[in-house]
Amino acid sequence: MSSCTEVLTRKPTNLAVATNPAHEITILESDIPEPGPEQCLVHVRATGICGSDVHFWKHGCIGDSIITKDCGLGHESAGIVIKTGSNVKKLKIGDRVAIEAGIPCSKPTCDYCRTGRYNGCPDIIFYSSPPVDGTLRRYHAHSEAWLHRIPDNVSYEEGALLEPLSVALAGIERSGLRLGDPLVICGAGPIGIVTLLAAHAAGAAPIVITDLDEGRLKVAKSLVPRVRTVQISTDKSAQNIAEEIKSALGQEAKLVMECTGVESSIHSAIYATRFGGTVFIIGVGSKSMHQYPFMHASFREIDIRFQFRYMETYAKAITLVSEGLIDLKPLVTHRFSLEQAQEAFEAASTPAAKAIKVQLLDD
């Protein structure tokens, strides 16, 4: 295994992929950070492109997070520890780790951190959320407490995918999904697919997944053969689409996990849900304000719930992958080097590329 000195000598430049107010993808060179006493220096080996990364590039903002200068992208990363701070106790040089990108304040005066709901910490630092640079870079210094050791049978690519899997696991837990629950998943993009894998492992049955793209539905079917697919047509009403979904499911859904954030898809989800059921919205769309069929949801006591990122999911995600209950390998469809960042982002944002997950790798 290469030492820290060997790695830094072989690759002495710290490349980082960023975007700016001109909506450009740029490759910047920066100093190699010196880890603080509680930090490890990680050679980032794999980073996935999230839909939020593409959105920051294309639109320059998500909600109140606005790109006002060069800002590094990426928060789905895994790598190897090549240097440790003086107070690091549990990790050592050579450990392979997944990076949990959100670092809360962890102060006892913070209600959210003290009660374990650290994803709600108002002072959380989340890498790739402006103005904080992301982890899509060669070398990144990160707090030991938020690095998770991955076993030898989990690759760096799978380690990077633990972040979107964490989103799905948070949704599974918060939605209250149980064995035998009839489930609909709206959207067969990366989050929809990992939600399908997690729901399958959790015993949801039957399961329907929807998407506009037939190719993505075929991918879903190849990963979970028992899933039932519904291809969405934009020229149909939400009520008509809901009827197709219920027909495929054989009943009304007890739970719909909405992974697109698209208003029309949320409408279809509500109409496909049984009395007393739940529409759980994971996906965040481009619009900050939505309308939905209020009276229908009210008269049928349909709960509409949300989540914000995740908490306490990484250990569970690592176990599920290492034990073979969830196979993330097929999700990575496109691989690029850091120097190929422009091509990588174009593949991630172009439907014709038929990408599920695009990753940038650095050996």
Side-chain angles (χ1 to χ4, degrees):
M1 186 174 292
S2 299
S3 68
C4 172
T5 302
E6 290 171 335
V7 172
L8 296 176
T9 301
R10 181 164 50 87
K11 293 196 170 184
T13 56
N14 191 15
L15 301 182
V17 178
T19 191
N20 56 34
H23 307 290
E24 299 169 319
I25 293 294
T26 59
I27 301 174
L28 307 176
E29 289 190 16
S30 61
D31 293 334
I32 297 172
E34 183 67 25
E38 318 288 340
Q39 292 183 319
C40 297
L41 181 63
V42 178
H43 176 200
V44 181
R45 298 290 298 273
T47 301
I49 296 177
C50 175
S52 64
D53 296 317
V54 173
H55 199 85
F56 277 127
W57 165 42
K58 294 279 190 177
H59 302 282
C61 66
I62 295 178
D64 295 330
S65 296
I66 301 171
I67 300 290
T68 59
K69 61 180 181 61
D70 283 321
C71 186
L73 297 168
H75 53 265
E76 302 176 5
S77 295
I80 185 169
V81 175
I82 60 172
K83 195 172 186 179
T84 59
S86 58
N87 293 338
V88 169
K89 304 298 182 184
K90 295 182 179 180
L91 294 175
K92 63 184 185 303
I93 292 172
D95 280 344
R96 301 164 65 255
V97 292
I99 298 172
E100 184 168 352
I103 300 182
C105 74
S106 299
K107 295 177 181 177
T109 53
C110 175
D111 287 343
Y112 300 95
C113 291
R114 189 177 64 250
T115 58
R117 303 190 69 181
Y118 63 81
N119 55 321
C121 173
D123 296 319
I124 195 168
I125 295 171
F126 196 87
Y127 289 94
S128 79
S129 181
V132 182
D133 290 321
T135 60
L136 183 43
R137 57 185 56 243
R138 178 165 289 150
Y139 301 116
H140 171 69
H142 203 78
S143 171
E144 177 194 29
W146 302 98
L147 293 171
H148 304 272
R149 188 185 288 110
I150 55 177
D152 291 341
N153 69 334
V154 176
S155 68
Y156 292 118
E157 293 184 9
E158 292 170 289
L161 284 165
L162 295 173
E163 201 279 341
L165 177 57
S166 284
V167 174
L169 293 180
I172 295 291
E173 184 165 327
R174 184 165 160 75
S175 69
L177 178 68
R178 297 291 184 266
L179 284 165
D181 281 352
L183 171 69
V184 173
I185 298 170
C186 297
I191 294 298
I193 292 292
V194 292
T195 299
L196 171 63
L197 294 173
H200 172 61
I207 305 174
V208 163
I209 192 167
T210 72
D211 204 274
L212 291 167
D213 189 310
E214 183 183 10
R216 287 191 166 187
L217 293 176
K218 288 181 178 178
V219 171
K221 190 77 171 175
S222 70
L223 295 173
V224 180
R226 70 180 178 91
V227 73
R228 307 169 188 185
T229 62
V230 173
Q231 186 173 5
I232 300 301
S233 175
T234 56
D235 61 0
K236 294 181 180 179
S237 70
Q239 292 95 327
N240 287 339
I241 291 171
E243 290 303 317
E244 293 182 8
I245 291 171
K246 290 186 288 185
S247 177
L249 191 67
Q251 58 190 296
E252 294 176 318
K254 180 179 179 181
L255 172 65
V256 179
M257 303 193 79
E258 213 299 313
C259 300
T260 72
V262 175
E263 185 174 294
S264 59
S265 182
I266 297 171
H267 290 190
S268 297
I270 291 171
Y271 287 123
T273 303
R274 68 170 61 166
F275 187 96
T278 300
V279 174
F280 192 87
I281 300 174
I282 297 177
V284 178
S286 58
K287 292 170 63 177
S288 60
M289 299 290 287
H290 279 307
Q291 294 182 331
Y292 65 93
F294 178 89
M295 283 299 184
H296 181 89
S298 173
F299 288 177
R300 291 174 62 80
E301 288 192 0
I302 294 171
D303 293 335
I304 301 173
R305 305 189 67 197
F306 301 86
Q307 77 180 69
F308 182 62
R309 295 176 184 152
Y310 42 80
M311 63 176 185
E312 301 295 347
T313 52
Y314 265 80
K316 186 182 296 185
I318 291 167
T319 298
L320 290 168
V321 174
S322 65
E323 292 289 324
L325 288 170
I326 293 179
D327 183 9
L328 298 175
K329 297 183 187 72
L331 272 63
V332 182
T333 55
H334 294 65
R335 298 169 176 85
F336 297 89
S337 67
L338 287 173
E339 293 83 356
Q340 295 173 307
Q342 184 69 44
E343 298 97 311
F345 272 80
E346 288 173 358
S349 61
T350 305
K354 298 188 181 301
I356 298 296
K357 179 57 68 175
V358 176
Q359 286 192 348
L360 290 95
L361 310 178
D362 194 61
D363 295 329

